[in-house]
């Protein structure tokens, strides 16, 4: 009796494996169907009369999010010979843009994004994208003023210039 049970269990597993393999191949095929390397020559897509590729409809539009990479405690980006790099400020909440004032002060726009309604189908993808991009900063939506007093490339003064903004993006 135990032998029959083991044989039936083994038979059931063997019929499920081909179905699972076919499902995985179908999902991979759908994912690859969205890929397209026929966008044309980029040099032809600029100028007064660009030749742009045709629009494409996607079941699930491609989403490419840059990986957030911060500086480590002992790491800095590489600089050309004779130049130095210093972090003007750290611990900014999703900085979006910078504006250097005539006196050398720097305005940093920190934005958390709008609190717009999100459709249920888009919600999971939107939340995943914001987490990957590091865009869920709770204390953002402000403009911060940075001032380097002694000229060493590190801001000694850091103060909120404007606060309680709604998804600020740029400064002019």
């Amino acid at each position: 009796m135990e032998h029959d049970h083991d044989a039936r269990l083994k038979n059931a597993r063997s019929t499920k494996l081909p179905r699972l393999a076919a499902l995985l191949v179908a999902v991979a095929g759908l994912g690859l169907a969205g890929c397209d390397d026929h966008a044309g020559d980029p040099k032809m897509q600029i100028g007064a009369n660009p030749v742009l590729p045709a629009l494409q409809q996607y079941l699930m539009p491609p989403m490419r999010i840059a990986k957030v990479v911060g500086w480590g405690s002992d790491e800095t980006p590489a600089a050309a010979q004779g130049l130095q790099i210093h972090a003007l400020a750290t611990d900014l909440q999703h900085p979006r843009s910078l504006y250097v004032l005539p006196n050398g002060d720097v305005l940093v726009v920190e934005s958390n994004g709008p609190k717009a309604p999100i459709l249920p189908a888009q919600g999971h993808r939107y939340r995943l994208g914001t987490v990957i991009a590091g865009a869920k900063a709770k204390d953002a939506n402000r403009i911060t003023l940075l001032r380097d007093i002694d000229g060493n490339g590190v801001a000694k003064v850091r103060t909120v210039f404007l606060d309680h903004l709604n998804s600020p993006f740029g400064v002019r």
Side-chain angles (χ1 to χ4, degrees):
M1 185 77 159
E2 187 176 318
H3 178 67
D4 287 343
H5 176 63
D6 290 342
R8 278 185 282 171
L9 186 61
K10 186 177 181 181
N11 191 22
R13 285 184 188 148
S14 66
T15 58
K16 289 183 181 180
L17 285 177
R19 288 182 189 162
L20 180 61
L23 179 64
L24 289 174
V25 168
V27 169
L30 285 173
L32 290 174
C35 298
D36 182 18
D37 287 335
H38 306 294
D41 181 10
K43 293 178 185 174
M44 297 294 293
Q45 297 174 8
I46 58 175
N49 298 305
V51 178
L52 300 176
L55 292 177
Q56 295 182 357
Q57 295 293 323
Y58 297 95
L59 177 63
M60 183 69 82
M63 187 167 78
R64 295 175 186 92
I65 300 172
K67 181 182 175 189
V68 176
V69 179
W71 291 9
S73 59
D74 298 332
E75 300 173 359
T76 59
Q81 187 175 2
L83 299 178
Q84 296 179 1
I85 295 179
H86 299 281
L88 180 65
T90 58
D91 299 323
L92 294 166
Q93 302 297 310
H94 200 243
R96 300 293 299 202
S97 59
L98 303 172
Y99 185 75
V100 180
L101 297 171
N103 69 347
D105 289 354
V106 177
L107 296 176
V108 180
V109 178
E110 298 175 83
S111 181
N112 192 25
K115 292 179 174 43
I118 298 172
L119 301 174
Q122 296 171 330
H124 297 299
R125 196 170 163 177
Y126 173 80
R127 281 187 286 281
L128 176 63
T130 56
V131 168
I132 292 170
K136 292 314 289 178
K138 293 182 180 172
D139 296 330
N141 290 328
R142 66 176 170 236
I143 299 176
T144 301
L145 177 100
L146 303 173
R147 180 173 292 156
D148 176 12
I149 296 173
D150 56 11
N152 70 347
V154 178
K156 300 294 185 292
V157 174
R158 177 179 180 155
T159 186
V160 174
F161 185 73
L162 288 172
D163 203 1
H164 305 293
L165 303 173
N166 184 15
S167 189
F169 187 79
V171 180
R172 282 185 3 138

